[in-house]
Amino acid sequence: MSAHCQLTGAEPVFGKKISHSHRRTSRRFDPNIQNKRYWLPSEGRNVRLRLSARAIKTVDAIGIEAAVARIRARGERV
């Protein structure tokens, strides 16, 4: 479960690669996962999160405290 976003839960999805001759082979679409470190003022420490690019924008919009609350509500450990 390496390509997994802690905030949004985005995971790889599977589909087909179609060649020029229209031969179909299986492929995997991975989310854009980045390792990001945030300062969590309420706990006085840094937290390392594995987030998709879309989730990083969500953290910027709602704040790190609300994002960590959502991650913990999903049952993930921070």
Side-chain angles (χ1 to χ4, degrees), residues 15 21 27 32 40 52 58 66 74:
S21 65
R27 64 159 290 180
N32 185 6
L40 196 58
S52 63
T58 303
R74 291 183 71 240

Side-chain angles (χ1 to χ4, degrees), residues 31-50:
N32 185 6
I33 299 293
Q34 307 292 323
N35 290 315
K36 194 91 165 103
R37 194 175 73 159
Y38 290 100
W39 174 251
L40 196 58
S42 64
E43 297 180 15
R45 68 183 182 103
N46 286 314
V47 291
R48 287 180 183 267
L49 300 175
R50 288 179 54 82

